[in-house]
Amino acid sequence: MGRGLRGGTIGVSVFSLLLLASSVSGTGISVCGQDVPVYRLDGTDYVALAALVQACGGRFWRVSEETPNGPVRRFVAVLSAGSGAEYVFWAESTTVRCADREILLPLAPRLEDGQLYIPVLTLGAILPDLAPSLPSLVLAGVFGSGDTAVARFGVQGSGARDVTTRSAWHGEARSGLEYRLAVAAKCDSQTEVQLGLLPILAGNGLLQSVQLEPGSSTVLVFTFRRPANASAAADSTGIEVRFWPKPVRRVRRIVLDPGHGGEDPGAVGTAGTLEKSVVLDVAKRVKPKLEEAGYEVRLTRTDDELVTLSDRSKLANEWKADLFVSIHANAAPNRQACGLETYFLSESKSDWERAVAARENAALEFEATDSVVMSDELELILTDLAQNEFLYESSELAARIHEQTLPLARVANRGVRQANFYVLRNNYMPAVLVECGFLTNRSEEKLLGDARHRERLAEGIAKGIVEFVKAYERRVNGS
């Protein structure tokens, strides 16, 4: 590693001083006899890569890579002029490469004003020579209450008291089955034996193993037999990791929303076919298929009645629905337009998506006159915040319905799209809208008027929902 990075002499300096650092310019850590400023960003201490390299007498350079998602900046550093070992960092990436070694960091470097900043907490993982000089982490005890188990770790040795401050450890759930705890303290062979016994001592049967991350003596990896919540907290005497089972999540109730109705006919075909009639029939055909699969299904309307757009989402929330699927038929000035489109709520990306949303949102004219409707921009911002946690699930639900319906309906594929549909706003669950075809296309209007075709559409929509639920429950419940 070169002068100052061997034998752990720098380790005591780094980890005893990093916890005293503040955002005040000039405070820092000693590296190779030089003061390297430490910066606190969002409660975590960082050092600039350029300053670290300069203190070590090394060099670094930037490389820009073009990717499908745009340019990505890479930083290559030789931390010591004599070592020749190249470290490759990516901004906002937890992966660092050194020769044939891949290092997974608990926190990613940050790019600020063109400079790359390295979390001080990760220096022990990047530079293993630092680890011998760190304080030791020991298992101090295991206890629990009810279905919650707690593992308490103590810290011994020089700088031990500082390790329990927030900037010297970092806990993160990588999934419901894994929790990683990085600490500015090392585990020795005795601690590793203790970690092996921890699943037995924990008592709640949830913990599968606790191991050191490969190549690290400072990162603990907790794995669970089934999805779990985990959190870490510290006080002046140590760090506690608390874990308890996640509640099993199941999709029980599905709301189907046949569009339009009553005095609102929706789209009208060239031969007079009404959207409101077609989509009600499709929804009524989807319902028994889902009930046969074991779900409770409710419709926002069961006959030719007007249900306002705002009332549709209110019903879904009042019924505590787990999924919301709105069923519609399309229309376009271009009489040749045809095919299936499936939407989830987000900002429209194209003129066509905006046009479809505008047509379906036109039913707002049937809202009560004293209804207060916010501007599209403000409404979308607020509902995006409410829907954000379901955005991925909604896009997946749309994709599953689309891919299952296409081969059965045998119509043109117009893709999974996103748009600002009023009926999808304020639904606190995965929510999508299916445009079953174009009533303004003479051939497709004829198809939509055929009961056999509507049955095929219903079968595809139902199959897509069932496939989504299976994948969703496997993912969230770890089964």
Side-chain angles (χ1 to χ4, degrees):
M1 286 290 179
R3 183 175 62 84
L5 294 178
R6 294 185 182 278
T9 56
I10 190 175
V12 174
S13 175
V14 168
F15 287 97
S16 61
L17 288 178
L18 76 93
L19 301 166
L20 302 176
S22 71
S23 59
V24 179
S25 177
T27 59
I29 58 175
S30 177
V31 177
C32 301
Q34 295 191 38
D35 186 65
V36 176
V38 170
Y39 303 92
R40 180 153 293 180
L41 303 171
D42 298 329
T44 300
D45 291 333
Y46 292 80
V47 294
L49 177 62
L52 185 65
V53 170
Q54 183 179 12
C56 295
R59 57 196 176 92
F60 84 102
W61 57 97
R62 301 176 180 87
V63 180
S64 288
E65 295 178 279
E66 288 296 329
T67 72
N69 296 321
V72 173
R73 299 191 73 173
R74 231 179 347 130
F75 292 77
V76 183
V78 177
L79 292 179
S80 171
S83 72
E86 288 186 357
Y87 288 82
V88 182
F89 301 86
W90 287 267
E92 311 300 336
S93 171
T94 55
T95 301
V96 177
R97 293 190 187 277
C98 179
D100 58 352
R101 186 164 65 107
E102 187 172 280
I103 307 163
L104 187 63
L105 303 179
L107 285 172
R110 287 179 55 159
L111 189 63
E112 299 283 342
D113 297 325
Q115 290 285 330
L116 192 70
Y117 291 85
I118 311 298
V120 179
L121 176 59
T122 67
L123 293 179
I126 297 170
L127 306 173
D129 285 356
L130 292 175
S133 64
L134 300 180
S136 297
L137 192 70
V138 295
L139 181 63
V142 184
F143 58 94
S145 175
D147 61 357
T148 300
V150 181
R152 184 167 186 83
F153 296 91
V155 187
Q156 300 174 348
S158 175
R161 200 181 322 169
D162 296 329
V163 172
T164 56
T165 65
R166 184 64 187 90
S167 61
W169 61 271
H170 177 75
E172 180 182 20
R174 286 296 174 93
S175 72
L177 298 175
E178 180 181 300
Y179 184 80
R180 297 172 75 244
L181 178 68
V183 186
K186 68 178 183 296
C187 294
D188 56 23
S189 56
Q190 181 180 352
T191 306
E192 285 195 70
V193 173
Q194 294 175 326
L195 295 178
L197 297 173
L198 213 163
I200 300 171
L201 299 173
N204 67 353
L206 191 61
L207 192 60
Q208 180 170 299
S209 68
V210 184
Q211 297 175 326
L212 287 171
E213 189 163 77
S216 171
S217 62
T218 63
V219 180
L220 303 181
V221 180
F222 294 73
T223 58
F224 304 103
R225 290 189 172 89
R226 58 186 187 278
N229 293 302
S231 65
D235 57 26
S236 59
T237 61
I239 300 172
E240 287 184 354
V241 177
R242 185 176 298 264
F243 46 93
W244 63 100
K246 281 189 173 183
V248 174
R249 294 171 68 180
R250 295 279 184 246
V251 172
R252 302 293 188 196
R253 185 174 296 127
I254 299 168
V255 168
L256 301 176
D257 173 50
H260 309 282
E263 59 193 279
D264 173 18
V268 179
T270 55
T273 306
L274 301 181
E275 178 183 1
K276 66 176 184 177
S277 302
V278 169
V279 299
L280 179 60
D281 183 75
V282 172
K284 285 183 173 180
R285 292 173 185 271
V286 175
K287 185 175 186 286
K289 300 179 192 305
L290 293 176
E291 288 173 333
E292 188 177 340
Y295 304 105
E296 178 188 342
V297 183
R298 298 192 184 187
L299 272 64
T300 56
R301 67 180 180 95
T302 55
D303 54 25
D304 186 15
E305 60 180 326
L306 176 67
V307 182
T308 65
L309 294 182
S310 56
D311 282 345
R312 293 169 191 264
S313 56
K314 284 179 185 175
L315 286 171
N317 289 310
E318 287 173 6
W319 291 336
K320 300 188 186 304
D322 299 304
L323 297 179
F324 180 89
V325 179
S326 193
I327 301 173
H328 289 256
N330 224 329
N334 176 7
R335 303 294 184 180
Q336 302 304 310
C338 62
L340 181 75
E341 295 177 342
T342 314
Y343 286 84
F344 60 97
L345 177 70
S346 192
E347 185 178 1
S348 302
K349 297 292 187 182
S350 69
D351 290 342
W352 171 251
E353 290 167 340
R354 280 186 283 274
V356 174
R359 186 178 64 77
E360 298 296 0
N361 292 345
L364 284 169
E365 67 180 275
F366 297 100
E367 300 280 336
T369 55
D370 60 349
S371 293
V372 178
V373 180
M374 286 181 280
S375 71
D376 276 353
E377 292 79 10
L378 176 59
E379 179 78 7
L380 183 58
I381 289 169
L382 294 177
T383 53
D384 266 356
L385 292 174
Q387 265 274 327
N388 188 53
E389 64 176 299
F390 304 110
L391 184 61
Y392 175 77
E393 285 82 2
S394 295
S395 65
E396 282 292 298
L397 174 58
R400 295 278 182 167
I401 289 175
H402 200 79
E403 68 187 22
Q404 291 295 326
T405 306
L406 272 176
L408 288 167
R410 286 180 264 181
V411 293
N413 178 6
R414 293 179 62 90
V416 174
R417 297 169 176 264
Q418 58 192 66
N420 178 13
F421 287 103
Y422 191 90
V423 74
L424 298 184
R425 302 175 185 178
N426 300 312
N427 286 307
Y428 303 110
M429 66 211 70
V432 301
L433 184 145
V434 184
E435 293 281 7
C436 295
F438 284 75
L439 287 171
T440 46
N441 179 293
R442 193 176 296 276
S443 297
E444 205 150 77
E445 179 187 12
K446 186 176 180 181
L447 267 180
L448 290 168
D450 186 336
R452 291 170 299 178
H453 181 70
R454 295 195 299 274
E455 180 70 16
R456 289 192 291 268
L457 285 169
E459 184 179 349
I461 292 169
K463 284 182 69 174
I465 292 171
V466 171
E467 287 298 309
F468 165 79
V469 171
K470 287 179 182 177
Y472 170 74
E473 291 183 347
R474 279 196 302 268
R475 185 175 73 251
V476 299
N477 298 317
S479 56

